[in-house]
Amino acid sequence: MNRLAGKVAFITGGASGLGRVGAERFAAEGARVVIADVGDASEALQSIARAGGTAASVECDVSSDASVRDAVAFAVKTFGDLHVLYNNAGVMLSADDDATNTPDDVIQRTFDINVKGVLYACRHAIPPMIESAQRCGEMSSIVNVASFVAHLGAATPQIAYTASKGAVLAMTREMAAIYARRGLRANALCPGPVMTPLLAKFLSDDAKRERRLVHIPMGRFGEPHEIVNGALFLASNESSWMTGQSLVIDGGITSAYVTPEGPAWSADL
Ligand code: NAD
């Protein structure tokens, strides 16, 4: 508890999925949280309030520079500081396909949200984050959500998504170097498959899910809290000498050539 005490965290896409679990956990660890999402964040806010946490929400489309600018200004006005930027919002569009078949509008929308969204949030959040670092005496932290696919190189055909997450890794490394002596760290979080709304619509039946599980050494999908544990580590001062890195949390996918047979481990086995 209290690993983010005194910190203000801005979480994009925090109304549902991994972002919502992150918002709840960050608040439970003492952060004052701002959820910036195109969707309705009221359930997330209620759940944080029930648990005794502090949070506010602001409507924000990360693909719009003006929307992100206003949302960051709201966060700073509401809580007076900004220490953590958790760039979590992202999409994987259903018409995303291989290099020959992906339509331009899908490439454009994927890049607008997954790449420009991260860049816009950094553009507007970095100046107040540098000021807040100065005030609190600890470096501020950017956590950019990429994906294990950006490490693996190939999953299913989803070229726009894969390219967008590769761009997130590259931006993270550059920002880490540029701001390393100015009070700011930046790291990437690379989750493997977790059954959020984003993935559930792609793996809609047992056959599709089984096909994926074959490639996960641990034999199961990740749980949202297992990803958020990594985000919390990167956001907090526990990772104070870490910048420009990618934290891969994927049940072993990116380290395996051949996966073991048999059921997933359980204490009951
Ligand atoms: P999700 O679809 O469940 O939730 C995404 C959230 O982002 C939603 O609340 C949505 O309203 C919000 N959002 C979408 N477009 C937005 C925009 N333009 N502006 C602001 N908010 C917007 O997705 P998730 O599975 O929780 O994924 C979160 C992040 O994790 C994404 O960046 C995704 O690429 C990444 N990721 C997920 C998985 C997985 O298996 N779920 C694996 C690897 C990486």
Side-chain angles (χ1 to χ4, degrees):
M1 297 291 276
N2 289 329
R3 290 155 75 190
L4 292 176
K7 299 292 171 75
V8 177
F10 186 88
I11 306 183
T12 67
S16 74
L18 296 174
R20 174 172 168 178
V21 178
E24 291 170 351
R25 181 74 191 280
F26 280 26
E29 294 285 348
R32 286 161 289 159
V33 169
V34 176
I35 295 174
D37 202 304
V38 278
D40 179 9
S42 53
E43 283 186 18
L45 287 184
Q46 283 161 19
S47 131
I48 290 171
R50 273 197 303 274
T54 303
S57 73
V58 57
E59 195 177 322
C60 172
D61 177 355
V62 296
S63 67
S64 155
D65 183 58
S67 178
V68 177
R69 180 199 61 208
D70 293 349
V72 170
F74 165 84
V76 175
K77 187 161 179 260
T78 304
F79 292 128
D81 262 316
L82 190 51
H83 307 94
V84 174
L85 169 61
Y86 184 6
N87 271 318
N88 161 83
V91 291
M92 189 164 73
L93 301 176
S94 48
D96 197 351
D97 202 337
D98 61 25
T100 56
N101 289 310
T102 303
D104 265 1
D105 62 328
V106 170
I107 298 170
Q108 186 67 54
R109 178 117 189 95
T110 303
F111 272 66
D112 282 350
I113 295 173
N114 293 10
V115 181
K116 286 166 93 176
V118 169
L119 187 50
Y120 290 154
C122 292
R123 170 187 284 169
H124 295 294
I126 284 174
M129 289 176 82
I130 289 175
E131 288 176 18
S132 292
Q134 208 71 37
R135 275 194 290 276
C136 86
E138 289 177 353
M139 290 179 88
S140 291
S141 175
I142 295 174
V143 181
N144 289 331
V145 180
S147 169
F148 76 103
V149 295
H151 267 266
L152 193 62
T156 49
Q158 44 183 24
I159 194 74
Y161 182 80
T162 302
S164 74
K165 294 304 189 180
V168 170
L169 293 185
M171 287 193 292
T172 304
R173 285 191 295 269
E174 177 177 314
M175 286 188 287
I178 298 299
Y179 294 101
R181 298 189 183 194
R182 292 159 68 182
L184 192 74
R185 303 183 293 112
N187 291 287
L189 183 64
C190 298
V194 179
M195 228 17 113
T196 60
L198 175 135
L199 195 64
K201 68 174 186 258
F202 283 87
L203 304 184
S204 48
D205 59 56
D206 282 348
K208 286 181 183 162
R209 284 190 285 274
E210 285 307 318
R211 175 82 177 86
R212 290 286 181 103
L213 286 170
V214 166
H215 298 285
I216 306 177
M218 285 193 181
R220 65 172 177 86
F221 293 108
E223 296 291 335
H225 75 268
E226 294 175 309
I227 306 304
V228 166
N229 283 339
L232 176 60
F233 170 68
L234 294 176
S236 78
N237 211 41
E238 289 167 16
S239 56
S240 56
W241 203 46
M242 185 170 169
T243 197
Q245 298 303 310
S246 304
L247 183 57
V248 183
I249 303 177
D250 69 352
I253 300 173
T254 49
S255 61
Y257 168 42
V258 177
T259 54
E261 292 179 8
W265 180 84
S266 135
D268 303 330
L269 284 177

